[in-house]
Amino acid sequence: MGIEPYGRRVDGIIPLAEARAKFDPASHEAYRASAEAAKENPAHPVTDDRPRVVVAGRCVQIRAMGKLVFLVLRDHSGDLQISVSKAQVDENAFKIARKLDYGDIVVAGGAMGATQKGEVCVWADRFEVHSKSLAPPPEKWHGLTDTELRYRHRYVDMYANPETIETFQLRSRIVSGVRRFMEGRGFLEVETPMMQPVAGGAAARPFVTHHNALDIDLFLRIAPELYLKRLLVGGLPRVFEINRCFRNEGVDRSHNPEFTTLEVYEAFGDMWTMLELTESMLRNLATMVAGSDNAVLPFGELQIDWSRPFERVAYGDLFRSILGFTMWDSEKVRAKAAELGRENVANRDPWLLVNEVYEECCEPHLDPARPTFVTDYPAVISPLTRPQRDNPDLCDRWELLAGGMELGTAYTELNDPDIQRARFTEQLVGADDEEQAFRTLDEDFLNALQVGMPPAGGLGVGLDRVVMLLTNRRSIRDVILFPLLKPEGD
RNA sequence: GAUCGCGUAGCUCAGUCGGCAGAGCAGCCGCCUUUUAAGCGGCAGGUCCUGGGUUCGAGUCCCAGCGCGAUCACCA
């Protein structure tokens, strides 16, 4: 047909939703009345004051009715019907419309009007295909439901399932909302190494890579913590980073090997300033998503209320209320751990057993519909946290849980280099061979603490999980554009 | 890593007791100026995930593998 199937630049395109909003019933009625009159009396002038638009989109529905073709275009803003009448476009454009395939990317221009059935549509006088789609389209009624195909061919999922593109548009607004909030509080966004010679700041297996020119192994970071604290030492009092972490561990509905975190450090703050900040930020985001101050958002079967103050409970209080004895009662803790099937309970650190009992027995009792701060964690499981002055078994740390997931953790940072070195060393003693391979002592970080780090509050939040909760997506893969899958075998 | 479930046309899915491989949509052809997942009529479309085994005969039963999902484990 002598046409360029892959298009060219087009100016003046507006989103489909914007075009739809331009529809004006009065001018459309006036046009129809004058067209009717002209039919009976050819001398009657046809007046057409309907708004004119130029739009583009991917074709998702086609109904060809002889000399009239109805099609529905879809873009990031929504769907809009285009009506192509043989009488209103040139011969070639009509032939193109007749030969249209699902998935073609189309430009149409014309008057915003409506059909006899009242469907708002563009009555095209311009019609062009700017990209042919050669791949067969997904089924139009059921859509693309195969989860594997949705993740592997996200670009198809995005146009076949509008809620997918909506989720990622919302994710973008949430992340930029986090950024605005943090900047509004006077925090400076920074970027610290993703490739680290020592993988520190969390207890997780890292990915290993290799730098050829330097001939050294590097680890993809499991946390930015130790670098952000160096910035406190260097004199930046309020910093945050939004970036990827990588953990070489299992994959499930709430874990992807690469994930996005917000980490925050505030000089002269503590776990409580971080708690206030986190609660304000999440309430802020939920209000934005809900579009009202009454921020109750659905998450599966749950209705999570983000507008009320979050629950707060001390780790030890929760422990006692559920188990009926205190966590300092190491005999009962051992007995309970043994009952839960733990091996070798006599020789293990009692606080590690406390935490295992806690995670198995207490965490499931928290109301998943209520965001909850659990405070005052055992010090043993928190080596980067400052122990409490009057009770060194505990430390100034909280975790935030909601929807049955851990959303984040914060602490009053440990800034005593001697205690920090002792903590790191204890960890290394407990490490098995595999851990020894990647968990080495970060001497430079300890050196930074010796230079002197101000007391500080620090925070880490899993942004993917925040997005899950705020957009009501049950799998982390639904909020990560390209989640990790095994390569397709052959 | 463990257990369970699933894998059939481009897509969404049926397929009975082991007996010729099916439907709808998409595609192709013809007709049609008002359709709303669907105008009307016709045609074509297969590595039944892969490899073995049992059987006269396997999409179906058995074994092994691959992929995806769910649950668990791991994840201070």
Side-chain angles (χ1 to χ4, degrees):
Chain A
M1 291 169 78
I3 53 169
E4 162 60 61
Y6 288 106
R8 60 186 163 76
R9 164 176 159 178
V10 178
D11 293 324
I13 291 169
I14 60 171
L16 296 174
E18 211 174 292
R20 178 185 292 278
K22 282 180 186 278
F23 172 67
D24 169 32
S27 65
H28 179 66
E29 272 317 303
Y31 164 76
R32 279 187 62 169
S34 74
E36 279 301 312
K39 219 182 262 179
E40 285 165 26
N41 172 11
H44 192 284
V46 175
T47 59
D48 187 352
D49 295 327
R50 296 176 297 180
R52 284 196 44 83
V53 296
V54 178
V55 295
R58 196 180 284 278
C59 178
V60 293
Q61 279 182 34
I62 306 168
R63 283 181 290 275
M65 306 292 300
K67 292 172 187 155
L68 186 61
V69 178
F70 297 106
L71 52 115
V72 174
L73 297 191
R74 175 171 294 166
D75 73 3
H76 61 281
S77 71
D79 291 0
L80 184 65
Q81 179 169 299
I82 311 295
S83 304
V84 187
S85 163
K86 192 173 184 183
Q88 286 178 40
V89 295
D90 65 55
E91 195 181 334
N92 206 37
F94 190 74
K95 275 189 198 158
I96 291 168
R98 293 284 324 197
K99 287 191 98 60
L100 206 61
D101 289 315
Y102 282 70
D104 289 353
I105 294 174
V106 163
V107 168
M112 277 311 304
T115 64
Q116 284 176 7
K117 298 280 174 66
E119 176 76 23
V120 173
C121 72
V122 176
W123 283 101
D125 50 40
R126 169 183 183 182
F127 190 82
E128 297 148 9
V129 171
H130 281 256
S131 184
K132 281 301 284 183
S133 178
L134 302 177
E139 212 260 2
K140 67 180 169 186
W141 176 233
H142 302 280
L144 190 66
T145 58
D146 185 295
T147 49
E148 182 177 354
L149 291 180
R150 292 210 302 116
Y151 300 141
R152 284 196 199 282
H153 304 299
R154 184 66 95 183
Y155 38 89
V156 176
D157 178 36
M158 287 171 73
Y159 93 76
N161 299 316
E163 65 272 20
T164 300
I165 211 166
E166 286 160 14
T167 297
F168 288 107
Q169 286 172 324
L170 193 48
R171 176 179 176 130
S172 179
R173 290 177 55 213
I174 290 166
V175 173
S176 88
V178 170
R179 215 167 243 128
R180 264 199 315 281
F181 180 89
M182 293 308 302
E183 287 174 348
R185 292 275 186 127
F187 287 81
L188 187 75
E189 181 168 10
V190 296
E191 292 167 278
T192 63
M194 312 287 278
M195 296 195 291
Q196 305 179 345
V198 176
R205 251 184 289 283
F207 290 94
V208 189
T209 187
H210 188 78
H211 188 285
N212 289 335
L214 296 179
D215 191 26
I216 50 170
D217 282 341
L218 291 167
F219 301 101
L220 301 190
R221 73 175 186 191
I222 54 177
E225 173 152 355
L226 303 187
Y227 285 93
L228 292 172
K229 285 180 173 171
R230 285 171 168 92
L231 299 181
L232 295 181
V233 172
L236 291 174
R238 295 177 165 223
V239 293
F240 74 100
E241 178 161 9
I242 296 174
N243 227 320
R244 231 66 67 79
C245 292
F246 308 85
R247 296 188 182 176
N248 204 343
E249 279 158 8
V251 175
D252 65 30
R253 231 173 26 179
S254 59
H255 294 82
N256 194 62
E258 58 177 305
F259 59 103
T260 302
T261 62
L262 165 71
E263 283 220 12
V264 180
Y265 290 87
E266 180 189 28
F268 299 103
D270 64 10
M271 66 176 274
W272 299 106
T273 64
M274 291 294 105
L275 185 145
E276 185 281 327
L277 180 129
T278 304
E279 190 169 349
S280 297
M281 180 181 75
L282 289 175
R283 185 169 306 150
N284 213 289
L285 295 171
T287 301
M288 177 188 81
V289 171
S292 82
D293 286 342
N294 180 30
V296 180
L297 294 171
F299 184 62
E301 306 296 304
L302 307 171
Q303 294 289 328
I304 300 184
D305 187 349
W306 300 94
S307 66
R308 286 195 287 152
F310 298 176
E311 297 287 340
R312 298 180 192 189
V313 59
Y315 184 102
D317 291 346
L318 184 62
F319 188 98
R320 194 184 61 241
S321 71
I322 286 167
L323 289 157
F325 53 91
T326 83
M327 59 189 182
W328 279 274
D329 187 337
S330 52
E331 280 318 302
K332 285 188 174 160
V333 169
R334 282 207 171 85
K336 185 70 188 175
E339 185 189 321
L340 294 172
R342 303 299 143 141
E343 317 260 316
N344 202 18
V345 294
N347 300 322
R348 297 191 46 212
D349 183 305
W351 285 104
L352 291 180
L353 293 177
V354 164
N355 196 49
E356 288 179 17
V357 170
Y358 166 83
E359 286 188 348
E360 190 156 339
C361 301
C362 302
E363 264 186 18
H365 280 84
L366 293 170
D367 179 357
R370 292 285 300 139
T372 304
F373 289 108
V374 178
T375 63
D376 305 288
Y377 270 67
V380 170
I381 58 172
S382 315
L384 293 157
T385 311
R386 176 183 287 194
Q388 294 181 359
R389 252 177 254 283
D390 50 355
N391 193 345
D393 285 338
L394 300 183
C395 65
D396 280 331
R397 170 184 180 187
W398 55 253
E399 282 202 6
L400 174 62
L401 295 102
M405 292 185 292
E406 293 174 15
L407 285 192
T409 187
Y411 17 97
T412 304
E413 301 295 339
L414 177 57
N415 63 341
D416 178 327
D418 296 332
I419 299 179
Q420 186 66 81
R421 176 178 292 277
R423 284 302 178 81
F424 279 164
T425 308
E426 279 167 30
Q427 251 190 307
L428 287 175
V429 170
D432 59 26
D433 289 351
E434 196 189 357
E435 271 184 291
Q436 293 283 4
F438 58 82
R439 190 159 298 160
T440 49
L441 206 57
D442 191 337
E443 287 291 350
D444 182 70
F445 172 68
L446 291 169
N447 186 58
L449 291 189
Q450 281 185 321
V451 170
M453 185 179 97
L459 166 70
V461 175
L463 286 185
D464 308 283
R465 291 178 179 179
V466 169
V467 174
M468 285 171 68
L469 286 163
L470 296 181
T471 62
N472 191 17
R473 310 304 302 218
R474 308 304 300 283
S475 169
I476 200 167
R477 290 179 161 180
D478 289 326
V479 299
I480 290 175
L481 282 166
F482 301 102
L484 185 70
L485 298 178
K486 282 197 191 180
E488 263 172 312
D490 34 353

